[in-house]
């Protein structure tokens, strides 16, 4: 046998290791994600007390408002607080929230369990969800969101009313619908890259415990996170791997580019990455790509004008709302008048708050994902990234990813700076680690465009990597779920 034949055989073996030797092996990442996210996510829905999610009541109220046809934000009179936004929710739901809010404010010290009077949750949660009596509540913080990311939860709310479910059952059904809004686009994207080395990296990122468990609550973020994941996967496939997308994949890429800024306005910046994609590997020609970006910008602009003014009252529930000045224009004018002071705010933001950005909170219960689980999850992502090929991309593509990554991160900080931070405050306030979940795939790939790792490229190393990353992806969310259940329901 010649040396040339041996080289060809070795290359073929490496290619089979990279792509998967069969349909099962290639689809393993998508199947594993679907099973783990469904099981862990559903269990979290069952053990998570009502309204213990991030902005639990506000997220629910916006979904309920949309389910009854009120798609646009509605102004309400709220104790003379100016232009406030909100709406009505069933009195039975409000009664359950009242107990949950009191419970959250009275969590005992360790090692006592955090939940108090669980039988009260059962009593109040057993009331009928379809309650004709209503309570008017404030939720300006979610009124600015479009109906798009709430569609699954809104449909679940209507189904719950139609079936005359209890309050607890309705809330769980709405949370499960949010979970599915995350699982479906992510599982689909993992299947689309089933023959790509990218699949294990994206599996590790998709099952990061905070992102998965947050999606198992009633939240607009579940749909937005899943959509951002799908969008980034498809762009990585066509821009980094230089693979042509089929008509379905191209359609999903364009649809997600339009929907992203309607999920959360700041993700218009993420959608802008489509501008750097080569139309030679997309269907429909250049006109369709630029038309999609135009529609995305138009949708963002229309919703921006529909919701203008809401940003000035987002800080209503801050304790210093009455004594401090808030608002987009006042903050911009203050910054322009004192640019050096603004730079000082940026420095102090990271000096005093960088740990808070990445605490990985699970809802307002303040129960954190185990640090050991997060460390293990990060190790799994690094291992998967080390199996990526060295992407041969143009300088425009490389720096385009950098530009979108930097601008997207700055956009998140900027949004909180002009809406939630008091004018003249000493730092940028209100930024949380969960806001960065949709950007993790983009940021990780950007880093490895410049600093690629290279593990041993063989069939054996591919199998070891698959088992290692797959095991970590299963264990880390399970550890997070166990800690949450133990701290909330068991204790000493």
């Amino acid at each position: 046998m010649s040396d040339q034949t041996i080289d060809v055989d070795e290359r073929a073996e490496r290619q089979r290791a990279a792509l998967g030797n069969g349909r099962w092996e290639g689809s393993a990442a998508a199947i594993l994600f679907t099973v783990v996210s469904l099981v862990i996510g559903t269990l979290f829905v069952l053990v998570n007390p009502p309204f213990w999610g991030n902005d639990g009541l506000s997220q629910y109220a916006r979904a309920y408002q949309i389910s009854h046809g009120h798609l646009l934000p509605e102004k309400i009179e709220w104790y003379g607080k100016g232009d406030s936004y909100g709406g009505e929710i069933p009195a039975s739901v409000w009664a359950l929230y009242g107990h949950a809010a009191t419970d959250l404010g009275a969590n005992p010290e360790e090692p006592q369990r955090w939940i108090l009077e669980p039988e009260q949750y059962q009593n109040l949660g057993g009331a009928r969800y379809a309650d004709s009596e209503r309570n008017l509540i404030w939720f300006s913080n979610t009124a600015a969101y479009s109906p798009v990311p709430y569609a699954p939860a809104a449909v679940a709310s209507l189904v719950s009313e139609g079936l005359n479910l209890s309050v607890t059952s309705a809330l769980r059904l709405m949370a499960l619908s949010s979970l599915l809004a995350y699982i479906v686009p992510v599982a689909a994207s993992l299947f689309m890259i089933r023959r790509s080395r990218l699949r294990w990296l994206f599996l590790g990122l998709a099952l990061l415990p905070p992102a998965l468990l947050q999606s198992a609550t009633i939240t607009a973020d579940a749909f937005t996170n899943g959509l951002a994941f799908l969008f980034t996967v498809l762009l990585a496939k066509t821009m980094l791997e230089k693979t042509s997308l089929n008509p379905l994949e191209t359609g999903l890429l364009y649809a997600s580019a339009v929907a992203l800024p309607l999920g959360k306005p700041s993700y218009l910046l993420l959608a802008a990455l489509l501008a750097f994609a080569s139309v030679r590997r997309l269907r429909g020609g250049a006109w369709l790509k630029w038309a999609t970006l135009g529609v995305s910008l138009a949708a963002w602009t229309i919703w921006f004008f529909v919701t203008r003014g809401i940003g000035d009252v987002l800080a209503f529930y801050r304790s210093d709302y009455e004594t401090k000045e808030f608002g987009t224009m006042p903050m911009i004018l203050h910054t322009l008048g004192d640019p050096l002071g603004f730079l000082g705010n940026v420095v102090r933001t990271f000096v005093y708050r960088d740990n808070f950005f990445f605490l990985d909170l699970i809802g307002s219960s303040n129960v954190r994902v185990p640090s050991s689980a997060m460390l293990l999850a990060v190790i799994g992502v690094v291992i998967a990234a080390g199996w990526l090929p060295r992407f041969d991309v143009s300088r425009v593509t490389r720096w385009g990813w950098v530009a979108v990554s930097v601008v997207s991160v700055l956009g998140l900080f900027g949004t909180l700076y002009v809406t939630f931070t008091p004018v003249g405050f000493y730092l940028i306030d209100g930024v949380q680690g969960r806001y960065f979940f949709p950007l993790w795939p983009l940021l990780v790939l950007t880093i490895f465009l410049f600093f690629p790792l290279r593990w041993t490229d063989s069939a054996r190393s591919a199998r070891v990597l698959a088992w290692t990353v797959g095991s970590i992806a299963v264990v880390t969310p399970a550890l997070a779920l166990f800690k949450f259940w133990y701290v909330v329901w068991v204790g000493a």
Side-chain angles (χ1 to χ4, degrees), residues 64-233:
Y64 180 81
Q65 183 184 54
I66 291 169
S67 73
H68 282 257
H70 304 289
L71 305 183
L72 302 181
E74 295 185 347
K75 285 187 178 182
I76 62 172
E77 176 59 34
W78 192 256
Y79 301 105
K81 298 295 183 181
D83 291 335
S84 294
Y85 297 82
E88 295 182 336
I89 64 171
S92 56
V93 176
W94 176 253
L96 179 59
Y97 169 75
H99 175 67
T102 301
D103 188 3
L104 281 170
N107 290 152
E109 295 293 330
E110 297 177 354
Q112 299 300 314
R113 72 179 184 185
W114 283 40
I115 193 168
L116 303 174
E117 301 182 65
E119 64 280 356
Q120 194 66 355
Y121 282 97
Q122 295 179 0
N123 294 336
L124 295 172
R128 294 301 92 187
Y129 181 65
D131 190 347
S132 59
E133 186 179 350
R134 298 284 192 270
N135 282 85
L136 182 69
I137 68 168
W138 179 98
F139 51 91
S140 294
N141 56 331
T142 56
Y145 287 161
S146 82
V148 172
Y150 286 107
V155 170
S157 178
L158 287 175
V159 171
S160 300
E161 288 187 276
L163 297 178
N164 197 29
L165 299 181
S166 67
V167 172
T168 296
S169 296
L171 295 177
R172 285 176 174 170
L173 184 61
M174 293 174 72
L176 286 172
S177 70
S178 294
L179 176 65
L180 289 175
Y182 176 70
I183 292 175
V184 171
V186 175
S189 62
L190 288 173
F191 182 76
M192 292 174 194
I193 55 171
R194 62 191 179 280
R195 297 205 173 273
S196 165
R197 287 175 178 265
L198 288 166
R199 65 186 186 274
W200 295 111
L201 172 65
F202 279 103
L203 172 70
L205 291 170
L207 288 177
L208 284 175
L212 174 61
L213 299 186
Q214 179 197 5
S215 298
T217 63
I218 302 173
T219 175
D221 293 336
F223 179 83
T224 304
N225 293 352
L227 205 62
F229 200 97
L230 173 65
F231 178 78
T232 308
V233 164

Side-chain angles (χ1 to χ4, degrees), residues 220-251:
D221 293 336
F223 179 83
T224 304
N225 293 352
L227 205 62
F229 200 97
L230 173 65
F231 178 78
T232 308
V233 164
L234 291 174
L235 276 186
K237 182 175 181 178
T238 185
M239 293 178 66
L240 304 186
E241 293 194 319
K242 298 183 179 180
T243 301
S244 296
L245 302 186
N246 62 39
L248 175 60
E249 292 170 338
T250 303

Side-chain angles (χ1 to χ4, degrees), residues 25 30 71 75 100 220 222 231 248 253 285 300 304 319 346 350 375 424 433 448 482:
E25 183 177 348
L71 305 183
K75 285 187 178 182
F231 178 78
L248 175 60
L253 176 65
W300 179 90
F304 173 80
S319 59
V346 172
F350 287 92
L375 177 61
F448 286 102
F482 173 79

Side-chain angles (χ1 to χ4, degrees), residues 1 223 274 333 409 484:
M1 183 179 295
F223 179 83
L274 178 60
L333 294 175
V409 171
F484 184 88

Side-chain angles (χ1 to χ4, degrees), residues 260-320:
L260 266 175
L262 293 176
K264 187 168 287 187
S266 59
Y267 295 135
L268 173 69
L269 303 171
L270 176 59
L273 190 58
L274 178 60
F276 297 93
S278 171
V279 294
R280 292 186 294 106
R281 293 186 288 273
L282 301 174
R283 302 301 176 97
W287 71 270
L288 185 57
K289 185 186 84 167
W290 293 109
T292 298
L293 287 170
V295 172
S296 180
L297 177 60
W300 179 90
T301 303
I302 292 171
W303 193 253
F304 173 80
F305 281 103
V306 167
T307 59
R308 67 186 185 279
I310 295 182
D312 294 339
V313 296
L314 288 183
F316 166 77
Y317 50 84
R318 285 183 61 115
S319 59
D320 56 0

